[in-house]
Amino acid sequence: MVSCGRHFFIQPNGTVDLDKGERFAYVDVAFASALRQHDPKQRHVHTYDIGCKYGIKFQERVTRSLLGPQVEADAISRGSLPSDVLIAPSDFPPDFSIKVPSWHVLGHIMSCVLANNLRYTPLVGRAAGEGVETIWSVMNAHQYATREMTHGHRRDALTDIFNDYNWKKLCGEGPSRLNVLLALKKAEDDEVLPSMDERPSLDWQDSRRSGALFLSNAMEIEDLQYQLRTRDVDEYVAEGTIGADKRRTQHLRSLDALRRRCEEHISALSVVCPGLPSTTIAWSQDPTLQELYLPSHFLQSQRSLYGLNELTEKEASLRMGSAHDHLNALKNALGLRTLLVQAKKTHVRGQTQNTRSESSIKRAAQVVKRHKYCYQRNWKAMTKLGVKFEDGSPAAGLHELHESDVRNLKEYIKGKAYGNSAEELPWIWKSVGKVAAPGASPTEVQQAIENWEQEVLRLTWVHARAARDRWWEEHVLLYEELRQICATFEHHAVLWRTKQPPPGLSLPVRNGFRAYVLKKEAIYIILTKEANAKFKALKEATTSTSNTPLNNVMGRSGSENMGSEMINNTVAMEVEEAY
């Protein structure tokens, strides 16, 4: 199925039957059929779960004949195309790209994430590319009714269902665009706490063969336990604060989600660790304190007795990788915290800006504290598992992390500690990143520090700029979409008003035709009035405050032309399969 990437309308000729499972050939037909409905001069941005692989040679597949170059040349000489050519080469959009939806791309390798993430794609706003997934929640209700139909009856029924879905979407576009815009406006001044998404249940029947999956899930639970255990609920849900009830409810839901994950983990122990006696398992009323009974929880003699030697090796490997990851993240977080402090001292003035800057610094400090704890937790687990930290081993360079080690390099240089023989460069800057080798000169250390901080600053700047651009584009696109919705309804009302019956009809048929035309015109007039009212309400709502992205969009000269150009010159579509 192919749908619009921003409004989720099912595209004409954009659905096909998968007779023999998921194959590129079926997707090519649906993709090309929908592609032919749009101007090839427009910019085309499409998403597909495996777009990184599917997009390879896509143009060649839909514009070339499989019957051979001679058959293709003969057909073109006759002024036609071979029967298996889906799009004429001259009609294929020159500006065409296929990306991966925002949720699916997180499961791809890093190089794919960087190349195909919509968050780094210009002029798409905050589109996630996952809207086609929401269509199945509506279509799945019809699966049993259409399953028993004949081929023709099924096609007709699905066509009616798709048309009804698109019509309901059309009627609700005005309110939905307005609601999103007003929510964005509200979010400009509100700080929203990140929620802990509930993870889907895992099938532990295969975990005996893949203990790494079980251990990885357990380490995620450990991280969630720490986040919820250290979250200062009383501070951000104090009486009288805006959204206190909502945030308190969100925290309780996070605890329930963590409790369910702990229960799934304990239940899976009998499958993954069949030799572990049930009498050793104790339940805790507080899910943030629930022991997970990984191999690092037991002594060496107990691991051998319970048959956990294989899991012990896997946990040691995972702990080493996690320790390296958290150590790198800790150094990045230290650099970011220092940059925020320096920016506050240099640029921030006024109470409002100081408050926001303090909040950013506090969040950065919390990230430092979290990565410090996670590294230390992994290091303690490795020592219990008997991991060797000598030179040449995978864990070489890792040490126990003390509070004195968690220092930014700026602090180290500022105090001229390098020239003091009693104080050494913190070991975290000598490992993993190889910032400065032992015995390096002060100049080399200073240069290494500057290189590291420049890298932290560069990465932070890239992500911040991409986020800023996507949010700005989303404001522009939403405002222009709402304006065009009003114009579209008005245009359809005029079309129905001027529609004339064909000649040769009898008087009763002409009267019926006229009645139907007036009915359709009245529907679009009502939709036009509602959309204009929503648009007026948006303008009134955004005049109460100033200097916000949305107000800048509405008040900026030429912003309507900019939004119109972005929409009219860009086509976004999504592809998804169902069985």
Side-chain angles (χ1 to χ4, degrees):
M1 176 182 291
V2 182
S3 69
C4 171
R6 286 196 58 84
H7 313 99
F8 316 149
F9 287 99
I10 302 173
Q11 296 295 293
N13 301 320
T15 57
V16 295
D17 289 327
L18 302 179
D19 295 331
K20 295 183 179 180
E22 180 180 350
R23 294 185 178 182
F24 283 0
Y26 297 111
V27 183
D28 287 345
V29 174
F31 225 144
S33 300
L35 202 59
R36 289 197 300 264
Q37 312 294 325
H38 299 277
D39 187 354
K41 297 179 181 179
Q42 292 177 306
R43 176 173 178 258
H44 287 253
V45 180
H46 305 266
T47 60
Y48 186 25
D49 298 354
I50 51 173
C52 50
K53 297 296 183 183
Y54 175 77
I56 301 175
K57 296 187 177 181
F58 170 77
Q59 180 176 356
E60 180 178 342
R61 293 199 303 270
V62 298
T63 59
R64 298 291 178 87
S65 174
L66 299 177
L67 302 178
Q70 186 60 42
V71 174
E72 184 175 353
D74 294 342
I76 294 176
S77 64
R78 295 192 300 268
S80 61
L81 290 173
S83 57
D84 62 335
V85 174
L86 301 175
I87 301 178
S90 59
D91 293 337
F92 192 86
D95 190 355
F96 180 89
S97 61
I98 299 181
K99 303 296 182 179
V100 180
S102 297
W103 299 340
H104 286 81
V105 76
L106 300 179
H108 292 223
I109 61 176
M110 184 54 64
S111 59
C112 180
V113 173
L114 298 177
N116 299 295
N117 197 334
L118 290 175
R119 294 294 174 262
Y120 307 114
T121 304
L123 305 181
V124 299
R126 292 286 296 181
E130 300 283 358
V132 69
E133 304 283 355
T134 65
I135 299 177
W136 298 121
S137 63
V138 179
M139 299 306 156
N140 287 341
H142 305 281
Q143 59 179 325
Y144 298 108
T146 57
R147 182 181 298 173
E148 304 300 329
M149 295 178 180
T150 61
H151 181 69
H153 187 194
R154 178 175 174 274
R155 289 174 63 91
D156 292 341
L158 289 177
T159 299
D160 292 338
I161 293 170
F162 295 159
N163 287 335
D164 177 71
Y165 175 85
N166 284 347
W167 171 252
K168 291 178 179 178
K169 288 287 295 181
L170 181 66
C171 295
E173 275 303 292
S176 65
R177 300 290 102 177
L178 174 67
N179 292 336
V180 174
L181 274 168
L182 294 180
L184 288 177
K185 178 180 179 298
K186 184 177 182 299
E188 290 168 3
D189 297 321
D190 293 346
E191 293 185 7
V192 181
L193 289 173
S195 61
M196 293 189 179
D197 298 328
E198 295 187 22
R199 304 297 180 89
S201 299
L202 299 175
D203 183 6
W204 297 113
Q205 298 304 317
D206 294 333
S207 295
R208 187 190 297 270
R209 296 189 299 272
S210 179
L213 176 64
F214 172 80
L215 294 170
S216 177
N217 180 71
M219 292 169 66
E220 288 183 13
I221 295 176
E222 286 181 340
D223 196 15
L224 294 179
Q225 286 178 324
Y226 171 77
Q227 293 183 52
L228 286 176
R229 189 166 59 246
T230 57
R231 178 181 287 180
D232 193 351
V233 182
D234 295 333
E235 178 179 346
Y236 66 74
V237 297
E239 294 297 332
T241 57
I242 299 176
D245 292 338
K246 180 178 180 181
R247 293 176 180 180
R248 186 182 294 106
T249 302
Q250 182 183 12
H251 179 72
L252 293 176
R253 288 178 177 174
S254 298
L255 286 175
D256 289 338
L258 177 60
R259 183 177 291 106
R260 286 193 293 271
R261 292 196 66 180
C262 290
E263 292 174 354
E264 292 178 1
H265 172 83
I266 298 300
S267 299
L269 281 173
S270 60
V271 178
V272 183
C273 310
L276 183 64
S278 58
T279 54
T280 62
I281 299 175
W283 287 91
S284 173
Q285 295 296 325
D286 186 353
T288 63
L289 301 176
Q290 175 64 52
E291 179 59 52
L292 302 181
Y293 299 100
L294 299 180
S296 56
H297 174 77
F298 302 99
L299 300 175
Q300 176 60 42
S301 58
Q302 292 176 313
R303 291 196 292 267
S304 301
L305 178 62
Y306 301 151
L308 302 178
N309 291 332
E310 183 179 354
L311 272 183
T312 299
E313 297 178 1
K314 293 181 178 181
E315 184 183 0
S317 299
L318 289 174
R319 293 289 185 183
M320 280 188 283
S322 180
H324 283 292
D325 290 341
H326 284 294
L327 190 57
N328 272 327
L330 173 62
K331 290 188 282 190
N332 288 336
L334 285 170
L336 178 59
R337 185 182 65 179
T338 301
L339 292 172
L340 291 174
V341 172
Q342 292 176 346
K344 178 178 179 295
K345 294 179 179 179
T346 307
H347 304 292
V348 175
R349 299 294 183 271
Q351 181 178 358
T352 302
Q353 293 184 1
N354 268 287
T355 302
R356 293 183 175 179
S357 181
E358 288 288 350
S359 298
S360 299
I361 295 173
K362 182 179 179 180
R363 285 194 295 269
Q366 290 173 347
V367 173
V368 170
K369 184 178 179 181
R370 171 176 169 249
H371 288 301
K372 180 180 70 172
Y373 171 82
C374 291
Y375 171 83
Q376 193 65 8
R377 182 186 64 210
N378 286 311
W379 188 85
K380 290 179 179 178
M382 286 189 290
T383 57
K384 292 180 180 179
L385 294 172
V387 175
K388 304 299 182 182
F389 298 95
E390 297 90 358
D391 292 340
S393 66
L398 298 179
H399 306 276
E400 185 176 4
L401 191 63
H402 300 284
E403 190 64 33
S404 59
D405 298 321
V406 186
R407 297 178 56 192
N408 188 267
L409 288 172
K410 281 283 186 184
E411 301 173 3
Y412 178 78
I413 290 296
K414 186 177 180 180
K416 297 182 179 180
Y418 190 85
N420 186 355
S421 59
E423 190 159 1
E424 298 181 355
L425 183 70
W427 70 264
I428 64 172
W429 301 104
K430 299 178 182 179
S431 65
V432 184
K434 296 299 180 184
V435 173
S441 65
T443 304
E444 293 174 337
V445 174
Q446 179 66 32
Q447 183 62 42
I449 291 171
E450 293 178 358
N451 293 340
W452 181 276
E453 292 185 340
Q454 285 296 322
E455 180 69 10
V456 173
L457 180 61
R458 185 185 69 83
L459 292 176
T460 305
W461 181 85
V462 167
H463 294 304
R465 181 186 180 187
R468 182 208 63 181
D469 292 346
R470 299 297 85 75
W471 279 114
W472 173 263
E473 294 163 5
E474 186 69 15
H475 278 91
V476 175
L477 289 171
L478 285 171
Y479 178 80
E480 178 60 22
E481 285 168 352
L482 187 55
R483 188 192 68 80
Q484 290 196 8
I485 287 170
C486 301
T488 299
F489 288 155
E490 186 176 356
H491 173 70
H492 280 287
V494 173
L495 285 181
W496 282 104
R497 186 184 308 128
T498 58
K499 192 176 288 293
Q500 297 295 327
L505 297 180
S506 61
L507 182 59
V509 176
R510 288 173 61 86
N511 291 338
F513 182 92
R514 186 59 183 167
Y516 183 77
V517 167
L518 293 175
K519 177 183 176 181
K520 297 292 290 186
E521 179 191 358
I523 291 175
Y524 279 104
I525 289 176
I526 294 174
L527 291 175
T528 302
K529 291 181 178 179
E530 292 180 352
N532 284 327
K534 300 292 184 183
F535 197 43
K536 181 179 179 181
L538 173 66
K539 292 182 177 180
E540 293 175 351
T542 53
T543 55
S544 59
T545 57
S546 60
N547 196 28
T548 64
L550 183 55
N551 289 340
N552 292 336
V553 169
M554 300 185 67
R556 178 176 174 178
S557 175
S559 62
E560 291 189 5
N561 294 333
M562 178 176 60
S564 178
E565 183 176 344
M566 288 173 63
I567 292 178
N568 295 334
N569 292 338
T570 304
V571 176
M573 290 191 290
E574 308 167 346
V575 182
E576 180 57 48
E577 302 85 13
Y579 300 95

